[in-house]
Amino acid sequence: MSEVTRRRKEVGLKNFRQRWSEQPKENFATADVPGKRCATPPGDDDGRQGALKRFSAMWPSFRKGRKDKIKEPDLAETRENLVMDNVPIQPRRVSGQYFFEYLVVVSLKKKKDGSNYEPQITYQFPKRDVMAKYQKEEEEKTLKAITLFCFPEGISWAPLTEYHSETFSFVLTEIDGSRRNGYCRRLLPGGRGARPPEAFCIISSLACFGLFSKIFDEVEKRRQISMALIYPFMQKLREASFPAPGQTVEIKSFIPESGTEIIHLTRPLDSWLEHVNFCTLFDCLTDEEVLQVFAAAVLERRIIFFADELGTLSQVLHAVAALLYPFTWQHTFISIVPEILIDVVMAPTPYLLGVQKCLLDLVTDQSDLLLVDLSKNKEKTFLVTTGDEDSILPPKLQAEILEALSQRKKVSDVEEAKKVEEVNRVVSEAFLHFFVRTVGHYSSYVKYTKEGPGVFEKRRFYKAIESKTTRHFVKKFIQTQMFDLFVQELEQQQPSGRQQGIFHRKITEYQKKKNEKTKKH
């Protein structure tokens, strides 16, 4: 890194610290969405003060960080918790017991001075009346953070007569590392004349975007008739058990003039793909462009995606993270960055960020990162690159991935649900095979002792790779935190308990085919 770049990042980090202890700068707006103006009126500082205060109030607790297996510098750890979490620890149900924790409706209401609209929670189910004081305070902070993510633009809204409904998601990560998913459907409420949009938001510890999108379809249907119809439906849903992978749960719900309806909610068979729709990723990028994004992500670089639509951002970021399976992204991940948190782009540590295109001008630090434009009418996809993205992956393996990805074009004529499922299968297997080919021999290089955990022999591991280009890639990849965590978990397991899961199954299939091919020759 050059001295100029380093100095620029130090200045950026200094500004980042300052911004969290003082009033944020003026908000910016989207110019291409009807009803939105391009700047917040002067004198609107008071309206944003509450949003900043709730983050500032949490600063001491975030400073403590969390005791992860993998340590980062204190500032990076603090920043990561702050921008990703925005919510404190809350008592919650065990994952899988309920579909969701609660549903809220976030409406845009006029401020007291009548100058602008601000998001406010106007409906919450279930209401939690019996809570200790500290629990109420924690829930208040959570709900305020939700309003920020439901309307992240930080712009001036105006009443609308038309608004295209959109569905997106975000992640609330807490100090202890646990995560909750926020699913949001923004739409124009029923009524006559111009009116501001509102957002329905479901908070759940379960990650399954497609399933919750169907739930929103049912909520929206009832909302158009009466808000009173939402309660019995959500109560039925809350009482139902979350289905196992591949299973279906039936919800009975009454709608006036239609009678009792039976809603079928099916969970995808591959649970690790149930929050993913690769179709959106490949609608925005070519196969070759996806490979370059994957290459940057696998080496844990800083990547920012830009799009006009919130749904596009959330789906693409979750898809990119899923390409890394069986490894897990260990750094900052914000599928939709609210305008008030835009300074997170200055952080020097790795991240995957989704930013609305109207905020592009606020990304002033454009060194050592990859900026990806997902817009339909873009002039070019990569606005900024490091320059080596197309040469990170071994050429032969790149060709194999592209060949495997071409198979998804054969499913273009099937129904939408089946198409998503088949595309997900083709894409996930293509990238899973890449990891089988590059690091699938890992288990042979973990040495166990009777006294304690195993030890991964890193040098022998990459030296065993015959291909020079593959060995060069793996030598870089094993320095990442995602690989380091994978190895740490591997070392803690007993040899008999670690040979499980789809990754191991694919490794076994590959080695079997390789041995059969060797015997023939």
Side-chain angles (χ1 to χ4, degrees), residues 214-498:
K214 189 171 182 179
I215 291 172
F216 275 132
D217 291 341
E218 298 299 328
V219 170
E220 186 173 351
K221 184 194 301 184
R222 286 156 180 75
R223 172 67 179 90
Q224 299 305 324
I225 302 172
S226 169
M227 283 290 291
L229 294 177
I230 295 177
Y231 172 83
F233 170 70
M234 296 304 291
Q235 182 62 38
K236 288 279 188 182
L237 185 66
R238 190 169 172 78
E239 292 170 355
S241 299
F242 194 71
Q247 300 300 308
T248 300
V249 65
E250 294 183 351
I251 307 293
K252 293 183 179 180
S253 178
F254 177 79
I255 295 182
E257 298 183 5
S258 298
T260 300
E261 292 185 352
I262 298 178
I263 299 131
H264 298 86
L265 299 172
T266 302
R267 188 177 175 188
L269 186 60
D270 294 323
S271 58
W272 64 281
L273 288 175
E274 61 189 354
H275 199 53
V276 177
N277 180 348
F278 284 123
C279 293
T280 305
L281 175 64
F282 285 91
D283 286 344
C284 297
L285 304 176
T286 66
D287 293 4
E288 290 78 10
E289 290 168 346
V290 170
L291 273 186
Q292 293 186 50
V293 170
F294 170 72
V298 85
L299 291 189
E300 297 183 333
R301 294 184 174 179
R302 303 192 305 158
I303 309 176
I304 305 177
F305 297 89
F306 293 96
D308 297 314
E309 297 181 356
L310 299 174
T312 298
L313 286 175
S314 64
Q315 290 189 45
V316 166
L317 264 83
H318 283 291
V320 170
L323 294 178
L324 302 173
Y325 183 86
F327 303 95
T328 305
W329 181 262
Q330 296 298 315
H331 302 276
T332 302
F333 178 97
I334 314 179
S335 57
I336 299 170
V337 178
E339 192 273 345
I340 197 173
L341 297 179
I342 195 64
D343 271 357
V344 69
V345 302
M346 294 182 181
T349 50
Y351 52 59
L352 292 178
L353 304 179
V355 176
Q356 287 184 282
K357 200 168 181 181
C358 62
L359 304 178
L360 176 59
D361 291 341
L362 298 183
V363 183
T364 54
D365 178 12
Q366 298 189 356
S367 59
D368 302 323
L369 48 68
L370 182 65
L371 299 187
V372 187
D373 190 348
L374 304 172
S375 307
K376 294 179 181 178
N377 301 319
K378 59 195 171 191
E379 294 182 4
K380 60 179 181 178
T381 298
F382 298 120
L383 306 178
V384 176
T385 67
T386 302
D388 65 345
E389 288 84 359
D390 58 352
S391 60
I392 292 173
L393 307 180
K396 185 179 179 180
L397 297 184
Q398 284 196 55
E400 288 184 5
I401 295 176
L402 292 173
E403 174 63 26
L405 291 177
S406 67
Q407 299 301 310
R408 78 181 192 283
K409 296 171 184 175
K410 298 178 181 179
V411 300
S412 57
D413 296 329
V414 299
E415 61 178 285
E416 187 63 27
K418 291 291 184 183
K419 178 183 177 182
V420 171
E421 185 177 318
E422 185 60 18
V423 168
N424 279 2
R425 183 192 66 78
V426 171
V427 173
S428 61
E429 287 189 358
F431 287 90
L432 193 58
H433 183 70
F434 170 82
F435 287 119
V436 169
R437 290 287 306 273
T438 52
V439 298
H441 58 298
Y442 68 90
S443 61
S444 300
Y445 296 89
V446 182
K447 300 304 177 184
Y448 291 90
T449 61
K450 294 181 180 180
E451 292 77 19
V455 177
F456 181 68
E457 299 177 322
K458 186 179 292 187
R459 182 175 175 81
R460 287 187 61 229
F461 167 72
Y462 75 78
K463 284 286 186 180
I465 301 172
E466 295 179 1
S467 168
K468 185 177 180 180
T469 55
T470 302
R471 186 167 62 250
H472 180 68
F473 163 77
V474 170
K475 193 173 181 179
K476 291 182 178 179
F477 178 57
I478 61 178
Q479 305 302 319
T480 63
Q481 287 198 9
M482 71 177 82
F483 186 83
D484 195 31
L485 182 63
F486 181 84
V487 167
Q488 286 185 38
E489 293 176 345
L490 187 67
E491 290 173 333
Q492 297 300 320
Q493 296 172 355
Q494 293 301 315
S496 59
R498 60 182 169 84

Side-chain angles (χ1 to χ4, degrees), residues 507-521:
I507 291 172
T508 303
E509 291 174 3
Y510 172 72
Q511 290 175 341
K512 185 178 179 181
K513 289 180 181 178
K514 188 177 180 181
N515 292 337
E516 289 175 353
K517 188 176 181 180
T518 302
K519 289 179 181 179
K520 289 180 181 180
H521 292 285

